[in-house]
Amino acid sequence: ELFGHEPGAFTDARTAKIGLLELAQGGTAFLDEIGELPLVLQAKLLRVLDTRRLRRLGGRTEIALDVHLVAATNRDLEAEVRRGAFRADLFYRLDVVRVQLPSIRERPEDAWTLCVAFLEEAGRKLGRGKLSLAPELRREALAYSWPGNVREIRNHMERLALAAEPDACVRHLDLPQDRPRQGGIQVDFSAGPLAW
């Protein structure tokens, strides 16, 4: 996926395929969850970053790259380097400009802004029109710790949008009351099966 391949590189490789890095030529490639990359691929990615060239799988020629790379992770990569699970040389090659985004728990004011934006987005996406949150819900949204971070907010607002009438002002957040403020997720199956 990253480097692409040439015809005949492996079984069923009938045509050439441009990899994601080559597709980003002249632009930016975003590698999400870089901390999950196996060590063997870390070495290959490091070589590409150092040489600014890649070779497709099964290819014989090197392709010059003009790509900016942005990588994200939810892991502490410095700790992963100390454990030997992430290459130090790749870490230092990637660690040019570091942006650390604290969890919602550490910046609760952002929770309300995200709730409003995600509910509006979900309303449009699901054909519910322009949905809004009642202003009195702000305090409840800010008091909740959102242990699932931004994904939990987005999913919760989508759930509210699915239950809302079109163009409604939502008056209840229906946040889990029995969930611990921090820690693992608890699921109550006593109410019956979950619908997906």
Side-chain angles (χ1 to χ4, degrees):
E1 290 297 316
L2 283 177
F3 306 115
H5 63 77
E6 294 292 341
F10 52 88
T11 306
D12 292 333
R14 293 185 179 96
T15 61
K17 180 179 179 185
I18 296 174
L20 297 176
L21 292 173
E22 193 177 345
L23 278 172
Q25 192 72 278
T28 303
F30 174 63
L31 300 180
D32 197 9
E33 298 302 345
I34 191 78
E36 305 298 324
L37 195 64
L39 284 168
V40 69
L41 285 177
Q42 290 177 31
K44 292 177 182 187
L45 180 60
L46 178 64
R47 183 183 175 281
V48 169
L49 293 177
D50 283 343
T51 64
R52 296 189 168 271
R53 305 180 77 74
L54 69 78
R55 187 179 322 150
R56 292 181 191 158
L57 182 63
R60 295 180 182 200
T61 59
E62 289 197 333
I63 299 163
L65 282 181
D66 176 21
V67 174
H68 293 282
L69 187 68
V70 176
T73 185
N74 65 358
R75 293 181 181 231
D76 178 350
L77 287 186
E78 288 175 296
E80 295 294 302
V81 167
R82 287 190 297 275
R83 265 186 351 106
F86 199 85
R87 290 180 61 113
D89 46 6
L90 179 58
F91 171 75
Y92 292 115
R93 188 70 173 86
L94 291 171
D95 195 29
V96 176
V97 176
R98 185 186 303 192
V99 178
Q100 287 187 275
L101 189 59
S103 70
I104 292 297
R105 203 171 23 258
E106 298 173 51
R107 49 190 176 99
E109 284 296 319
D110 289 349
W112 179 250
T113 303
L114 291 170
C115 284
V116 170
F118 288 152
L119 184 67
E120 288 176 4
E121 176 186 290
R124 282 190 308 275
K125 184 173 81 175
L126 298 170
R128 295 289 203 259
K130 184 163 174 45
L131 298 177
S132 62
L133 288 170
E136 60 268 18
L137 298 178
R138 184 175 190 276
R139 181 179 302 154
E140 187 179 352
L142 297 181
Y144 184 66
S145 67
W146 301 103
N149 221 341
V150 175
R151 286 184 181 102
E152 181 182 10
I153 295 175
R154 181 185 295 273
N155 290 341
H156 194 77
M157 292 304 112
E158 190 167 322
R159 189 175 312 123
L160 291 179
L162 283 167
E165 294 294 323
D167 300 312
C169 177
V170 174
R171 303 217 170 267
H172 300 283
L173 280 181
D174 296 325
L175 293 171
Q177 300 302 315
D178 59 347
R179 181 180 292 169
R181 288 191 54 82
Q182 294 181 356
I185 295 174
Q186 295 179 348
V187 179
D188 180 10
F189 291 101
S190 63
L194 297 173
W196 296 99

